[in-house]
Amino acid sequence: MSVIHLSMADLGLAALLVLLLAALSFVLRLQLQRQILISAARTTIQLLLIGLVLKSLFASSSPFWIALMALVMLAVAGREVMQRQKRPFRGAWGYGLGTLSMFVSSFATTVFALQAVIGTEPWYLPQYSIPLLGMMLGNTMNGVALALDRLTSSAWQQRAVIETRLTLGQDWSEAIADISRDSLRTGMLPIINAMAAAGIVSLPGMMTGQILSGTPPLEAVKYQILIMFMIAAGTGFASVIATWLGARRLFDARQRLRLSRLAGGE
Amino acid sequence: MSRGYYSNPLLSLRLCVEILLALRVEILSCLPALRYPVPMAILKVIKLAVLNIPPVSFTLQAGECVGLSGPSGEGKSLLLRALADLIPHEGRVMLDGEDCNHVHPAQWRRRVGLLLPESHWWSDRVGDHFPVREMDRVHALGFDERVFDWQVSRCSSGEKQRLALLRLLANLPEVLLLDEPTASLDPRSTRRVEALVEDYRREHAAPVLWVSHDPAQLARVADRQLRLEHKILREAAA
């Protein structure tokens, strides 16, 4: 079985659905029609652009361009993590915290999978490395953003409890232990749930894509399992790193709670 | 006749040891200083400045209770929080000649015990907040051992305030900083708290800094009084 090519007219038909949705939003006065149309346009343009980029990237296979691409993806994911937090850290920490934890975790996991599991030649083969890294970053980003948002907003709300624990002679890590644990659970639960529901409730996107393009279902399933494991580990490790660094950053060298280091802090 | 019990040097030595062992509880209890090797704590504050409060200097002598009063919003609580090294501050705080900055922060807060005006709890059960259970003090505040099984959420604010004091004293702090410790207590409980702090202070020779808005209370508990007004700390006439 080979891929059935989609023509521009085919995509135009699909776009009618979006136009219909926009019209519905107008009728129901949801005031979302503008956003719907702009977002649909962005999807089209961004995906076409990335298609062109990937096409030339696969053609050249130069490590430099692959590394640059990976770094751009990381930078955008880092920005997304910061923007999803109600009270990110001020200054370079706000951006650096999530980005660093995603970098360590996603890149390590992806390189491990490429080298030890799949064994591509060369190991950075862009047809494998870029999509894998993309899926890793996309999911890790969710985990890190959820964990950090929970950490900072809980610390904000439970300031008095943390300070009480400090006055009783607890170490910073002990005083914020409950909150850290909660944040980690928040960051990790979505991927744990996704693993539990995979195949029953939802057919994962990558597997579906591979099947559509003619890969035998069992091969597609094996890849999907690999990806799920990578995402789970990557998200978990990144959440641990981000939560630990974030919790540490909430306290100064004298182990005082410093909420002024968060945006919106006094 | 065989030789007497007392003439055998080994046996009489053993007897001495046994007598000492049998009496060890009584002997030790005569020496409270040995049971509680607490140094004479003196808290010395030199040019301590927090936020908008100009530098203040004062000394709390061992076993001395000092009252601190003044209008709300003058920074009494800030001052106490700085002494416990809970907020950044300038100047020096010394305990027994040791600079705050040279003591591990958690250790410092254990030694300089701060009771915050509102009590906060992180576990459901009261007992989970107590590392050790000192029953004498629990009874002194009108509770019994069942209190440790209580749910925090079902305690009244007055009960929580008294329990917070017990929780703090369980750490055996060398200095007590009490920020309105009886604000939500009835007169009976207030007297119990005052008596308990008094006992603790005498037993451990601990200096106490007591913040209160009640002049009568400060007159009862304090050896001398400080007043923070118009951002200036001065000795108040008793």
Side-chain angles (χ1 to χ4, degrees):
Chain A
M1 183 184 138
S2 67
V3 185
I4 302 168
H5 283 278
L6 292 179
S7 68
M8 279 300 158
D10 296 336
L11 286 180
L13 272 175
L16 275 181
L17 289 174
V18 176
L19 284 178
L20 204 66
L21 183 67
L24 190 65
S25 148
F26 181 72
V27 172
L28 294 178
R29 292 198 224 156
L30 300 179
Q31 297 190 328
L32 282 174
Q33 56 272 28
R34 220 177 105 84
Q35 258 171 291
I36 292 173
L37 292 179
I38 290 177
S39 303
R42 277 188 63 169
T43 292
T44 315
I45 296 168
Q46 287 168 5
L47 288 181
L48 281 177
L49 278 178
I50 200 67
L52 290 175
V53 169
L54 287 180
K55 190 180 165 192
S56 47
L57 198 65
F58 291 174
S60 83
S61 261
S62 128
F64 172 76
W65 289 113
I66 297 169
L68 187 70
M69 178 77 194
L71 286 180
V72 169
M73 288 159 67
L74 176 70
V76 175
R79 195 167 148 263
E80 188 68 24
V81 165
M82 192 173 76
Q83 285 187 337
R84 285 198 205 167
Q85 289 173 67
K86 196 172 161 214
R87 300 184 191 282
F89 284 93
R90 285 178 198 273
W93 279 84
Y95 183 77
L97 189 59
T99 314
L100 179 75
S101 16
M102 282 192 297
F103 172 72
V104 173
S105 170
S106 300
F107 280 59
T109 319
T110 308
V111 170
F112 171 78
L114 288 172
Q115 286 259 41
V117 183
I118 307 177
T120 47
E121 192 59 48
W123 64 269
Y124 51 80
L125 191 69
Q127 282 88 334
Y128 283 82
S129 62
I130 293 297
L132 279 185
L133 187 66
M135 281 186 283
M136 287 303 295
L137 281 175
N139 286 279
T140 313
M141 184 176 84
N142 282 332
V144 170
L146 284 173
L148 278 180
D149 188 48
R150 181 63 175 256
L151 178 77
T152 49
S153 52
S154 299
W156 184 272
Q157 282 163 8
Q158 298 183 38
R159 165 194 202 138
V161 174
I162 300 174
E163 289 195 325
T164 298
R165 300 181 74 155
L166 289 177
T167 62
L168 291 169
Q170 295 191 356
D171 237 33
W172 69 270
S173 52
E174 203 183 345
I176 202 167
D178 295 341
I179 293 175
S180 300
R181 215 172 291 125
D182 239 30
S183 312
L184 273 180
R185 292 173 55 86
T186 310
M188 287 191 199
L189 268 181
I191 181 61
I192 295 175
N193 290 338
M195 280 202 290
I200 303 175
V201 183
S202 62
L203 282 187
M206 187 200 75
M207 191 179 100
T208 317
Q210 277 190 309
I211 293 175
L212 281 180
S213 70
T215 310
L218 274 181
E219 282 308 305
V221 162
K222 280 193 265 175
Y223 264 92
Q224 189 61 49
I225 293 173
L226 168 71
I227 292 293
M228 285 302 237
F229 288 173
M230 282 171 65
I231 290 175
T235 307
F237 297 149
S239 303
V240 170
I241 298 171
T243 304
W244 193 85
L245 286 177
R248 185 77 194 82
R249 175 68 188 163
L250 284 171
F251 298 87
D252 65 12
R254 294 292 302 168
Q255 303 198 6
R256 309 171 185 122
L257 182 65
R258 298 296 288 273
L259 292 179
S260 56
R261 290 175 175 179
L262 299 179
E266 76 271 44
Chain B
M1 236 187 99
S2 65
R3 302 185 61 170
Y5 187 83
Y6 296 101
S7 58
N8 183 330
L10 263 182
L11 274 179
S12 51
L13 183 68
R14 208 182 128 197
L15 194 66
C16 284
V17 171
E18 271 174 13
I19 291 172
L20 280 174
L21 277 177
L23 290 176
R24 69 189 187 280
V25 176
E26 285 74 12
I27 295 170
L28 283 178
S29 62
C30 295
L31 301 167
L34 274 183
R35 274 200 302 159
Y36 300 110
V38 177
M40 295 293 274
I42 297 172
L43 191 77
K44 212 172 158 96
V45 181
I46 306 159
K47 291 186 180 164
L48 177 75
V50 210
L51 291 177
N52 56 351
I53 306 173
V56 297
S57 301
F58 59 92
T59 302
L60 302 181
Q61 300 295 343
E64 179 187 41
C65 182
V66 177
L68 175 59
S69 59
S72 297
E74 281 284 333
K76 301 184 295 294
S77 294
L78 280 180
L79 203 60
L80 261 61
R81 291 162 79 90
L83 292 178
D85 203 13
L86 212 53
I87 52 172
H89 53 84
E90 275 163 39
R92 298 174 71 188
V93 185
M94 321 250 289
L95 179 60
D96 284 327
E98 249 185 309
D99 193 300
C100 166
N101 289 321
H102 300 155
V103 180
H104 186 271
Q107 191 62 35
W108 178 267
R109 291 183 200 119
R110 228 169 240 279
R111 294 171 65 184
V112 181
L114 167 62
L115 184 71
L116 292 165
E118 276 173 42
S119 78
H120 291 275
W121 307 81
W122 55 92
S123 225
D124 295 337
R125 241 166 39 95
V126 169
D128 296 342
H129 302 82
F130 285 79
V132 287
R133 298 176 177 187
E134 170 62 67
M135 290 318 297
D136 287 351
R137 282 196 286 269
V138 171
H139 293 309
L141 285 194
F143 297 111
D144 59 34
E145 46 284 339
R146 282 170 300 179
V147 73
F148 293 116
D149 293 322
W150 287 7
Q151 296 287 314
V152 173
S153 53
R154 299 178 70 172
C155 295
S156 73
S157 59
E159 283 165 345
K160 281 194 264 191
Q161 194 163 27
R162 281 179 289 155
L163 288 169
L165 177 64
L166 292 174
R167 180 176 68 176
L168 181 73
L169 294 183
N171 277 339
L172 298 179
E174 293 166 43
V175 180
L176 285 182
L177 309 173
L178 307 177
D179 199 345
E180 303 195 45
T182 61
S184 47
L185 299 187
D186 58 41
R188 197 166 112 97
S189 298
T190 300
R191 293 306 174 104
R192 278 176 161 166
V193 165
E194 288 171 8
L196 179 68
V197 172
E198 171 85 11
D199 285 348
Y200 185 89
R201 168 163 84 93
R202 298 216 182 281
E203 190 183 348
H204 299 265
V208 177
L209 186 58
W210 189 310
V211 173
S212 174
H213 286 292
D214 178 5
Q217 177 173 58
L218 289 185
R220 278 197 302 274
V221 300
D223 300 319
R224 63 190 173 95
Q225 295 194 30
L226 298 171
R227 196 163 168 78
L228 186 61
E229 204 163 7
H230 309 307
K231 309 287 174 209
I232 296 167
L233 187 74
R234 53 165 65 94
E235 195 92 17

